[in-house]
Amino acid sequence: MPLNDERPASTSSGEDHSSDVESSSERCDSMTSTSDLDCSRESFTSDCSSTPSSSPPKTLTLDEVMESARDLSNLSFAHEIIVNRNFHLEPESLPQDSLWKVVRDNVHKAFWDILESELNDDPPEYGQAIRLLEEIREILLSFLNPGANRMRTQILEVLDMDLIRQQADKNAVDIQGLASYIITTMGKMCAPVRDEEIKKLRESSDNIVILFREIFRVLDLMKADVVNFKIDNLRPVLQRQSVECERAMFQCILDKTPSALDHTTSWLKSALEELSNNIPTGQTNSPGKGQPVLPGPFQVLNTAFLRILTWQYAKGPLPETLMTDETRLQKIQRQLQQSQAVNEVLLIIYSTIGGPIQGLPALSDRLKRMISVLLDGMHSPDFNQEEALEGVSAQICCELNKSLTERNYPALTSALQATVTGQICSITQKDNPIRTLVEDRVQQYFMALICHPKPQVKLEQVPVGLTAIKPELALMGAKFISLVNYNKTVYGPFYADIIRKLMFSNSPPAANPPQDTTQDSVTSK
């Protein structure tokens, strides 16, 4: 923790909503392209000396499992620092009604009650107070930089526990004086954002027990500041070497846990099977005949990433290579599903009512905001979508009638209102044509982003029928493609190795498949 002139600035926790779209040289190859197949086979079976590799299967001990879990935790932490420029740690806080909070609060209350009881004895007891001072001393020492020898010496002299124990035996401990010194020392060490907290401690007129409770509360804030200061200093280093760093950390996990790519393999295999099943049966592989055309490896990977947008988290975990971004991907998916629902409702309204409400952007914006608000939280377990859509229909009919009558148009008839309501409520059905249309065009939009070498130029080019949610799609598309392209860059060699084995499992794979050509073919297409 730096002193006075180099104290860390204020920190806060938050999700990074300003990620830029990383440049990518992705391109979408034809699934039936012979040149793609030939190029793929060559790059996926060439011999080279360095590639991510998995160890042969082995039985893991409990210690090895725990060590792998720690490695995964470190990888997730490093990834969060790299991709989320606003990532900071906050002092631990538990939900108000949680059992852990009740237990923790009761344990803390018992400690402070014992301390107060001991200090109020005649003569006072200092057992709890001494343990408290010992902990405070260690915390203050942990804040010091290696070269802060003078302050270290001063803290050790003032909070000399042997001397304090001797004073306690003679009932001569100046608790108030020690508290004052601790607060002064904290003021020299804390970040500027904590100056107001230190001022309150200095001006506190509470009893000594309450004062020490507040001291510990501010020390917890300072500990978070120290960690966040280190994160801010570490972030540029990690970002400069982010790809190599994350890849090496994951390779370390793979070396210890050979099954660490099982879900990733299943994910890519499923995408390959989906593409293979969609190949026209009449096509053959050149130069031989009778062999089905294999999809290109780039298509396999792009198709796999597209499926993440519709991933069913309740049925299975994400691929291991995407778990560090699970929260971000799930948030994008939920926002996308809500935007799709909003778009579906708007399409139904405008196709049903027609001319009287066309060309009124203000009305369109009001309807869009209304639908978004009423469908907010649609992913929560207790959300009743059918009931919510009925409410949406009622509110929309009221708003439309108001707009129509203001412009001297007749209000909606009961029959037309019933038709609108029925069509809106029907979008919960999987085979609803409006829902299918919107979902297909959203998939087209995201596939175009994934395949294009410069996806940022495609962000504003939404398919026909999706213009109502164009701003939302552009924002979600930018976030998604940024995650996808970074993930491809980091894990490209692993994906290449898996796809090569899946596509050419009938022919013996190279012992050491190429890193350079394979990685380039997967991450630069």
Side-chain angles (χ1 to χ4, degrees), residues 304-336:
F305 273 111
L306 187 66
R307 296 182 65 179
I308 296 298
L309 289 170
T310 55
W311 192 267
Q312 298 184 35
Y313 291 86
K315 293 186 177 181
L318 278 174
E320 296 87 349
T321 54
L322 287 164
M323 285 184 177
T324 51
D325 285 315
E326 180 172 358
T327 301
R328 277 176 284 273
L329 291 170
Q330 197 165 13
K331 185 175 181 180
I332 291 172
Q333 184 193 78
R334 289 177 174 178
Q335 291 173 340
L336 182 60

Side-chain angles (χ1 to χ4, degrees), residues 237-251:
V237 178
L238 287 177
Q239 287 177 337
R240 284 196 298 269
Q241 304 176 1
S242 59
V243 173
E244 294 78 4
C245 175
E246 288 199 46
R247 191 183 296 160
M249 293 178 76
F250 188 81
Q251 181 65 60

Side-chain angles (χ1 to χ4, degrees), residues 111-112 114-120 124-137 159 161 164-165 168 173-176 178-179 182 208-209 212 216:
F111 175 86
W112 296 112
I114 293 172
L115 176 63
E116 185 171 23
S117 175
E118 287 186 354
L119 294 179
N120 287 336
E125 292 288 334
Y126 292 101
Q128 290 285 82
I130 289 174
R131 284 191 286 274
L132 198 70
L133 292 170
E134 281 182 315
E135 184 172 352
I136 290 174
R137 184 183 72 167
L159 297 178
M161 303 316 301
I164 292 174
R165 288 189 182 91
V173 179
D174 182 8
I175 290 290
Q176 194 69 48
L178 291 174
I182 290 168
I208 192 65
V209 174
F212 270 104
F216 264 90

